[in-house]
Amino acid sequence: MEIDNLYNEIISLENLFFAYKKARKHKTKKFYVKEFERNLFNNLLKLNCELKNQIYKPKPLITFILRDTKTRKISKSDFRDRIVHHALCNILEPIFDKTFIYDSCANRKGKGTLFALKRFEYFQRKVTHNLTSGGYCLKADIKHYFQEINHEILLGIIKRKIIDEKVIWLIKTILKNFDKDKGMPLGNLTSQFFANIYLHELDYFVKHKLKARYYVRYVDDFILLGSSKEELIILEVIKDFLNKSLNLELHLEKSKIVNLSKGVDFVGFRNFYYFKLLRKRNIKKMQSRIDLFNEELISYEKMDESFQGWNAYAQWANCYKLRKIFLKIVKETYLKFN
């Protein structure tokens, strides 16, 4: 199916206003949001005119290093550019999302880490006959995924469905802002969306060409489950497909077949038959937030927000005592400074 004449929908004032509301969510107190809102109608009208005349140019990305459990380079778009990203995704996401497989779990409505976890548990029960027999998991990870996405290949995939040249121009404009012919900046909504489009090619290959029944992907991590090792000896085939079709490589040291009874690292948990443990880096991340609060580098509000999010996530693991300890530390630290 080919979709034409979408550009006017993307740049309409109605869609830009809806996109603005999405972009400002949880950021209403930010200076740049208040600044944009001072002359909201004119700012949206100006954006509409720039897009209509195809003279829109994104502002340079603001890049910074985020250090928690691992170091990541985050590139942040200007607020008005984020509105454009939301406007584009508002219209294109529904078109592409219905083509994605059910078990593509990242950055999709109604899905996420917990959905991926439940699918893993469901498939684990399937291949082990309700945990009464052995099973195996092929766990794989793509090397430097976001940095290696090829723009030309991505555009070729998008053009199979979108023939409106103005939409393609806008996508190219967003991609060019990264100033490279490959890779996409972490921290952009469009990067997450394009990443799913790109790896849908892998999903289709695994599900329809290799006929894998028990497959789940979360961003660049994916797993296949089977009752025997023999079912999963397809790593070289997948590696070859990724290399030839998408210019991607697997992390060979992180891509292997493991026995389900020994636990599988997936979406932040080490998953065993009857229980789950948090990954060490998830525990360290929370500890680092507490340390920052102790050093008065972040506010109690920020600390509490981090803890509440972490605690909601951690409750899916078997770590009640750890959660209780962290809660006690947070409360005691707060009392110390108040």
XYZ file of all heavy atoms in Angstrom, residues 230-279:
424
model
N 18.864 -26.955 18.684
C 18.843 -27.112 17.224
C 17.887 -26.124 16.552
O 18.152 -25.653 15.442
C 18.445 -28.547 16.852
C 19.522 -29.589 17.131
C 19.751 -29.828 18.623
O 18.796 -29.692 19.410
O 20.916 -30.130 18.997
N 16.768 -25.818 17.219
C 15.795 -24.862 16.670
C 16.390 -23.462 16.517
O 15.919 -22.666 15.718
C 14.579 -24.750 17.603
C 13.693 -25.976 17.664
C 12.561 -25.766 18.669
O 11.897 -24.713 18.592
O 12.361 -26.635 19.535
N 17.426 -23.180 17.330
C 17.941 -21.812 17.426
C 19.296 -21.599 16.769
O 19.879 -20.522 16.895
C 18.013 -21.412 18.910
C 16.687 -21.492 19.687
C 16.916 -21.183 21.151
C 15.655 -20.530 19.102
N 19.782 -22.590 16.066
C 21.086 -22.429 15.411
C 20.900 -21.674 14.091
O 21.052 -22.213 12.997
C 21.783 -23.804 15.203
C 21.908 -24.515 16.556
C 23.180 -23.609 14.606
C 22.479 -25.913 16.471
N 20.518 -20.411 14.228
C 20.262 -19.558 13.063
C 20.966 -18.212 13.217
O 20.697 -17.271 12.470
C 18.744 -19.333 12.853
C 18.096 -18.873 14.163
C 18.067 -20.562 12.301
C 16.633 -18.490 14.030
N 21.867 -18.143 14.180
C 22.553 -16.885 14.461
C 23.314 -16.370 13.249
O 23.265 -15.173 12.934
C 23.507 -17.047 15.656
C 24.096 -15.753 16.231
C 23.000 -14.824 16.714
C 25.069 -16.059 17.360
N 23.993 -17.275 12.537
C 24.773 -16.868 11.363
C 23.870 -16.341 10.244
O 24.234 -15.414 9.531
C 25.614 -18.052 10.852
C 26.849 -18.352 11.680
C 27.823 -17.172 11.756
O 28.061 -16.530 10.716
O 28.315 -16.879 12.855
N 22.686 -16.940 10.129
C 21.724 -16.505 9.095
C 21.250 -15.081 9.401
O 21.172 -14.226 8.512
C 20.514 -17.470 9.028
C 19.520 -17.013 7.975
C 20.977 -18.888 8.736
N 20.933 -14.826 10.668
C 20.486 -13.499 11.092
C 21.622 -12.485 10.941
O 21.412 -11.369 10.451
C 19.976 -13.541 12.550
C 18.688 -14.368 12.637
C 19.742 -12.131 13.087
C 18.196 -14.632 14.034
N 22.804 -12.895 11.336
C 23.988 -12.031 11.216
C 24.209 -11.628 9.758
O 24.466 -10.455 9.452
C 25.210 -12.770 11.764
C 26.520 -12.022 11.663
C 27.671 -12.901 12.124
C 29.003 -12.306 11.724
N 30.131 -13.221 12.033
N 24.076 -12.579 8.854
C 24.275 -12.331 7.427
C 23.204 -11.389 6.878
O 23.503 -10.474 6.099
C 24.242 -13.670 6.679
C 24.668 -13.530 5.224
O 25.784 -13.039 4.982
O 23.877 -13.896 4.335
N 21.944 -11.588 7.307
C 20.854 -10.722 6.864
C 21.080 -9.281 7.323
O 20.935 -8.333 6.531
C 19.511 -11.227 7.404
C 18.386 -10.257 7.173
C 17.751 -10.190 5.941
C 17.978 -9.386 8.182
C 16.728 -9.262 5.713
C 16.966 -8.469 7.963
C 16.337 -8.410 6.723
N 21.419 -9.104 8.585
C 21.636 -7.763 9.127
C 22.764 -7.042 8.392
O 22.661 -5.862 8.064
C 21.971 -7.842 10.625
C 20.797 -8.130 11.563
C 21.306 -8.446 12.958
C 19.831 -6.958 11.620
N 23.830 -7.789 8.126
C 24.997 -7.202 7.462
C 24.700 -6.800 6.017
O 25.001 -5.684 5.586
C 26.163 -8.178 7.526
C 27.452 -7.558 7.037
O 27.882 -7.810 5.924
N 28.047 -6.729 7.863
N 24.059 -7.704 5.271
C 23.817 -7.466 3.844
C 22.636 -6.532 3.575
O 22.670 -5.733 2.641
C 23.599 -8.790 3.121
C 24.867 -9.628 3.000
C 24.593 -10.942 2.285
C 25.877 -11.760 2.137
N 25.611 -13.086 1.521
N 21.597 -6.625 4.374
C 20.380 -5.848 4.105
C 20.316 -4.518 4.848
O 19.720 -3.557 4.355
C 19.136 -6.674 4.468
O 19.097 -7.863 3.714
N 20.930 -4.461 6.045
C 20.774 -3.263 6.866
C 22.100 -2.622 7.293
O 22.092 -1.631 8.044
C 19.934 -3.595 8.109
C 18.502 -4.085 7.858
C 17.848 -4.512 9.157
C 17.668 -3.011 7.171
N 23.218 -3.193 6.853
C 24.541 -2.661 7.227
C 24.743 -2.618 8.746
O 25.309 -1.665 9.282
C 24.759 -1.264 6.652
C 25.255 -1.297 5.221
O 25.224 -2.342 4.569
N 25.705 -0.170 4.706
N 24.258 -3.635 9.423
C 24.377 -3.718 10.880
C 25.165 -4.956 11.277
O 25.199 -5.945 10.547
C 22.990 -3.767 11.525
C 22.081 -2.548 11.340
C 20.696 -2.835 11.900
C 22.673 -1.300 11.984
N 25.766 -4.885 12.476
C 26.511 -6.025 13.008
C 25.959 -6.416 14.368
O 25.475 -5.565 15.119
C 27.995 -5.668 13.170
C 28.746 -5.466 11.874
C 30.213 -5.144 12.125
O 30.759 -5.617 13.144
O 30.795 -4.407 11.316
N 26.070 -7.709 14.675
C 25.690 -8.182 16.003
C 26.864 -8.016 16.965
O 28.016 -8.084 16.572
C 25.302 -9.661 15.962
C 23.952 -10.016 15.334
C 23.784 -11.519 15.283
C 22.791 -9.387 16.102
N 26.536 -7.790 18.241
C 27.524 -7.868 19.313
C 27.776 -9.362 19.527
O 26.985 -10.038 20.171
C 26.943 -7.283 20.606
C 27.471 -5.939 20.951
N 28.813 -5.679 21.114
C 26.826 -4.772 21.184
C 28.972 -4.406 21.430
N 27.785 -3.834 21.460
N 28.856 -9.875 18.999
C 29.062 -11.324 19.039
C 29.196 -11.858 20.461
O 28.716 -12.951 20.773
C 30.293 -11.701 18.206
C 30.154 -11.452 16.692
C 31.404 -11.868 15.956
C 28.937 -12.189 16.134
N 29.855 -11.078 21.342
C 30.012 -11.547 22.726
C 28.699 -11.509 23.500
O 28.541 -12.190 24.515
C 31.091 -10.740 23.460
C 30.792 -9.272 23.663
C 31.191 -8.413 22.475
O 31.456 -8.943 21.383
O 31.217 -7.180 22.647
N 27.737 -10.712 23.018
C 26.435 -10.626 23.688
C 25.364 -11.452 22.990
O 24.227 -11.502 23.454
C 25.975 -9.164 23.747
C 26.841 -8.265 24.604
C 26.266 -6.855 24.620
C 27.114 -5.912 25.438
N 26.578 -4.542 25.433
N 25.715 -12.084 21.884
C 24.730 -12.845 21.099
C 25.048 -14.325 21.188
O 26.057 -14.789 20.653
C 24.755 -12.367 19.632
O 24.502 -10.986 19.564
N 24.200 -15.063 21.873
C 24.473 -16.484 22.107
C 23.204 -17.224 22.530
O 22.193 -16.605 22.889
C 25.540 -16.639 23.183
C 25.211 -15.924 24.487
C 26.410 -15.859 25.404
C 26.111 -14.998 26.639
N 27.271 -14.835 27.510
N 23.297 -18.556 22.495
C 22.201 -19.410 22.954
C 22.451 -19.771 24.417
O 23.540 -20.203 24.778
C 22.102 -20.700 22.107
C 21.773 -20.340 20.644
C 21.031 -21.633 22.667
C 21.847 -21.514 19.690
N 21.441 -19.542 25.258
C 21.574 -19.849 26.686
C 20.438 -20.761 27.134
O 19.346 -20.757 26.553
C 21.575 -18.563 27.552
C 22.801 -17.724 27.263
C 20.307 -17.745 27.341
N 20.714 -21.535 28.159
C 19.710 -22.409 28.755
C 18.759 -21.558 29.596
O 19.201 -20.767 30.435
C 20.404 -23.456 29.638
C 19.475 -24.591 30.025
O 18.351 -24.347 30.462
N 19.937 -25.812 29.861
N 17.470 -21.704 29.372
C 16.487 -20.892 30.093
C 16.577 -21.067 31.612
O 16.313 -20.130 32.363
C 15.070 -21.236 29.624
C 14.655 -20.693 28.254
C 13.323 -21.298 27.823
C 14.569 -19.175 28.261
N 16.971 -22.243 32.043
C 17.046 -22.502 33.483
C 18.154 -21.693 34.163
O 18.143 -21.506 35.380
C 17.269 -23.994 33.746
O 18.527 -24.400 33.231
N 19.104 -21.186 33.362
C 20.211 -20.409 33.935
C 19.912 -18.911 33.984
O 20.723 -18.111 34.447
C 21.489 -20.666 33.131
C 21.999 -22.091 33.290
C 23.283 -22.298 32.514
C 23.785 -23.741 32.706
N 25.016 -23.987 31.926
N 18.753 -18.540 33.492
C 18.356 -17.131 33.523
C 18.757 -16.394 32.256
O 19.826 -16.632 31.706
N 17.878 -15.493 31.822
C 18.109 -14.724 30.594
C 17.992 -13.235 30.900
O 16.982 -12.785 31.450
C 17.083 -15.101 29.502
C 17.272 -14.241 28.255
C 17.191 -16.578 29.151
N 19.020 -12.468 30.546
C 18.973 -11.009 30.686
C 18.107 -10.431 29.572
O 18.425 -10.579 28.389
C 20.388 -10.419 30.565
C 21.118 -10.393 31.899
O 20.445 -10.343 32.932
O 22.350 -10.418 31.892
N 17.024 -9.773 29.973
C 16.148 -9.162 28.974
C 15.333 -8.052 29.620
O 14.808 -8.218 30.716
C 15.220 -10.216 28.351
C 14.420 -9.723 27.178
C 15.027 -9.105 26.104
C 13.038 -9.886 27.139
C 14.289 -8.640 25.010
C 12.294 -9.432 26.058
C 12.930 -8.804 24.991
N 15.263 -6.910 28.972
C 14.552 -5.689 29.383
C 14.764 -5.330 30.862
O 13.820 -4.996 31.576
C 13.048 -5.731 29.029
C 12.853 -5.682 27.532
C 12.317 -6.928 29.618
N 16.010 -5.398 31.299
C 16.350 -4.927 32.636
C 16.236 -5.947 33.749
O 16.511 -5.636 34.909
N 15.837 -7.179 33.424
C 15.692 -8.219 34.434
C 16.503 -9.454 34.046
O 16.727 -9.703 32.858
C 14.227 -8.643 34.587
C 13.318 -7.553 35.033
C 12.634 -6.761 34.113
C 13.123 -7.289 36.379
C 11.785 -5.748 34.508
C 12.269 -6.275 36.800
C 11.599 -5.505 35.861
N 16.921 -10.194 35.045
C 17.479 -11.516 34.808
C 16.342 -12.489 35.090
O 15.907 -12.656 36.231
C 18.686 -11.784 35.700
C 19.362 -13.087 35.382
C 20.874 -12.970 35.410
N 21.493 -14.274 35.154
C 21.923 -14.679 33.986
N 21.809 -13.902 32.938
N 22.495 -15.853 33.824
N 15.831 -13.109 34.038
C 14.596 -13.890 34.103
C 14.868 -15.380 34.271
O 15.457 -16.015 33.399
C 13.799 -13.664 32.817
C 13.435 -12.205 32.603
O 12.438 -11.717 33.125
N 14.248 -11.497 31.827
N 14.426 -15.920 35.392
C 14.515 -17.349 35.667
C 13.118 -17.967 35.561
O 12.139 -17.254 35.321
C 15.109 -17.578 37.059
C 16.536 -17.116 37.195
C 16.830 -15.801 37.540
C 17.599 -17.987 36.959
C 18.140 -15.364 37.650
C 18.917 -17.565 37.068
C 19.189 -16.239 37.408
N 13.028 -19.274 35.757
C 11.729 -19.956 35.642
C 10.697 -19.391 36.625
O 9.562 -19.109 36.253
C 11.890 -21.455 35.887
C 12.288 -22.257 34.667
C 12.718 -21.642 33.492
C 12.240 -23.649 34.679
C 13.085 -22.383 32.383
C 12.610 -24.414 33.575
C 13.034 -23.769 32.431
O 13.408 -24.502 31.330
N 11.090 -19.253 37.898
C 10.112 -18.926 38.928
C 10.342 -17.570 39.596
O 9.605 -17.203 40.511
C 10.093 -20.021 40.000
C 9.693 -21.374 39.453
C 10.646 -22.371 39.239
C 8.375 -21.638 39.102
C 10.286 -23.609 38.707
C 8.008 -22.866 38.569
C 8.967 -23.846 38.378
O 8.604 -25.068 37.850
N 11.335 -16.849 39.174
C 11.568 -15.528 39.761
C 12.397 -14.666 38.813
O 12.969 -15.155 37.841
C 12.275 -15.648 41.128
C 13.649 -16.257 41.062
C 14.785 -15.450 40.973
C 13.825 -17.641 41.086
C 16.054 -16.010 40.906
C 15.086 -18.207 41.017
C 16.209 -17.380 40.934
N 12.430 -13.373 39.146
C 13.194 -12.402 38.346
C 14.051 -11.553 39.268
O 13.609 -11.181 40.366
C 12.241 -11.480 37.566
C 11.524 -12.139 36.430
C 10.619 -11.163 35.696
C 9.399 -10.796 36.499
N 8.515 -11.952 36.732
N 15.241 -11.210 38.815
C 16.123 -10.321 39.558
C 16.410 -9.086 38.718
O 16.431 -9.148 37.482
C 17.451 -11.024 39.879
C 17.361 -12.297 40.735
C 18.749 -12.915 40.887
C 16.752 -12.006 42.105
N 16.622 -7.964 39.397
C 17.021 -6.757 38.683
C 18.465 -6.883 38.221
O 19.294 -7.468 38.914
C 16.919 -5.540 39.605
C 15.545 -4.916 39.827
C 15.660 -3.834 40.887
C 14.985 -4.333 38.552
N 18.771 -6.312 37.062
C 20.156 -6.231 36.628
C 20.926 -5.330 37.590
O 20.380 -4.364 38.125
C 20.241 -5.621 35.232
C 19.973 -6.599 34.096
C 20.068 -5.861 32.786
N 19.860 -6.727 31.640
C 19.659 -6.286 30.405
N 19.642 -4.996 30.178
N 19.487 -7.126 29.405
